[in-house]
Amino acid sequence: MCKSNINMAFLRSYFKLLLSIVLLMISSVDIFAQTTVQIGSGTLSPPATLYGPLYRFSSTSTTTGCRTDMLWTAAEMASAGIPAGAQITKVEFNKTSTANFTSNITSFDMLVANTSNTSLASTLTWASVLTTHTNVFSAAGYNLPATAGWVSWTFNTPFTYTGGAFEIATEHVKGATGSTSFIPWEYTAGTASMIVGNASATGATLNGAVAAYKFRPNIKITFTTGGCTSPPTPGTSLAVPSSGLCLGNSIALNLSGNSIGSGQSYQWESATSIGGPYSNVGSSSPSPSLNITATSTLYYKIGRAHV
């Protein structure tokens, strides 16, 4: 049965500031916290290769290179604790073998973007990628390490993440070089809609659909956030959708216009009446984003603390 008044008409945020024990906040010097998180916990390794971040089908492959685009959804980014406004400085992918190119490839480029996508279409063109993505890493005469493990790319300039989906596109040109073997990247099952590619350095459309390549690799993302604003800006609470709800619907709770910074955490609370008492929903998080399921008429509020 649909109920249009499931709590969200009264959704509100309140601000509670706990006594800060961080004496450095008294200083006018900004504090920057660096955090590394991983998205994708699977330990699968492909039988051949993946489209990204670098593609190589076999030691004797004659492909001229590859273009690919990979997506991490807004929900995945929020679950990993990456807040809007974070400065992404580095990404890593886990190469599960010692394979690399027998000599340096001609070039390698990495481009990133903030988007609202929840999947990637096989009609995506490289020309479109170039209009939406920002180049954050570019190298001529590039090669991978001849060891297994996480391979890192440090951005030339930190990239500001705005809170939606995050995409990484890569392009490499092979030239005449070969490789010691196919290049495998660790991945998690169920991510076929999160990666598209073309096994060509000049491929116009990223329409590759070969099943063995259609898995998005696991990723580590390193980001920084500035020091806390004191007092912090509470912002405005959001619920999507905010009306016309049915029991069992998924609801995304979040904040907009709020300040962010190291040492801040968020805690959502719910109650059966607007006056409370309120109890915690889940655990505290560095991100104000929370996905819930509508089960009854409830009222929600969010608190933020400095620690």
Side-chain angles (χ1 to χ4, degrees):
M1 178 177 67
C2 288
K3 300 181 70 176
S4 62
N5 66 334
I6 295 179
N7 67 31
M8 297 309 163
F10 297 97
L11 182 71
R12 65 187 180 91
S13 66
Y14 78 103
F15 170 65
K16 65 179 181 183
L17 176 64
L18 299 185
L19 177 63
S20 173
I21 60 173
V22 183
L23 298 180
L24 288 176
M25 287 181 59
I26 299 174
S27 170
S28 62
V29 178
D30 286 338
I31 303 170
F32 292 89
Q34 178 171 285
T35 305
T36 299
V37 297
Q38 182 173 332
I39 301 178
S41 58
T43 58
L44 298 172
S45 186
T49 187
L50 304 179
Y51 281 123
L54 273 157
Y55 169 94
R56 188 65 176 166
F57 179 72
S58 71
S59 61
T60 58
S61 173
T62 58
T63 55
T64 59
C66 186
R67 289 171 169 174
T68 188
D69 191 32
M70 300 170 284
L71 166 72
W72 288 266
T73 66
E76 288 178 310
M77 297 290 283
S79 179
I82 306 175
Q87 300 291 300
I88 298 177
T89 59
K90 182 175 69 174
V91 295
E92 302 170 69
F93 298 94
N94 191 12
K95 186 164 65 75
T96 60
S97 80
T98 61
N100 71 345
F101 297 95
T102 52
S103 61
N104 290 348
I105 59 177
T106 305
S107 65
F108 175 80
D109 288 277
M110 178 176 288
L111 306 91
V112 301
N114 294 296
T115 73
S116 59
N117 291 328
T118 56
S119 62
L120 295 174
S122 59
T123 55
L124 180 66
T125 65
W126 189 249
S128 174
V129 168
L130 293 178
T131 64
T132 56
H133 290 49
T134 300
N135 192 306
V136 293
F137 183 93
S138 184
Y142 181 81
N143 205 344
L144 292 165
T147 56
W150 290 90
V151 181
S152 65
W153 284 272
T154 300
F155 293 177
N156 297 327
T157 302
F159 180 78
T160 302
Y161 169 64
T162 59
F166 180 58
E167 294 185 25
I168 298 178
T170 59
E171 176 187 44
H172 82 268
V173 179
K174 181 181 75 67
T177 188
S179 63
T180 59
S181 181
F182 72 91
I183 298 176
W185 302 94
E186 181 185 62
Y187 71 95
T188 301
T191 56
S193 65
M194 308 296 183
I195 182 170
V196 290
N198 192 314
S200 168
T202 58
T205 303
L206 307 183
N207 58 356
V210 180
Y213 313 151
K214 285 282 287 179
F215 297 100
R216 185 198 64 189
N218 298 339
I219 189 173
K220 286 184 178 180
I221 299 175
T222 297
F223 63 94
T224 62
T225 54
C228 297
T229 300
S230 184
T233 303
T236 303
S237 55
L238 301 173
V240 181
S242 59
S243 62
L245 300 172
C246 293
L247 295 177
N249 280 172
S250 294
I251 305 166
L253 305 178
N254 212 330
L255 290 177
S256 67
N258 57 297
S259 61
I260 64 170
S262 60
Q264 291 183 181
S265 63
Y266 301 84
Q267 178 66 63
W268 283 95
E269 301 174 356
S270 68
T272 56
S273 64
I274 196 169
Y278 284 82
S279 58
N280 290 347
V281 178
S283 57
S284 62
S285 169
S287 169
S289 176
L290 177 68
N291 293 317
I292 62 170
T293 300
T295 57
S296 63
T297 299
L298 293 172
Y299 302 85
Y300 286 86
K301 65 182 181 181
I302 187 172
R304 172 171 37 196
H306 283 183
V307 295

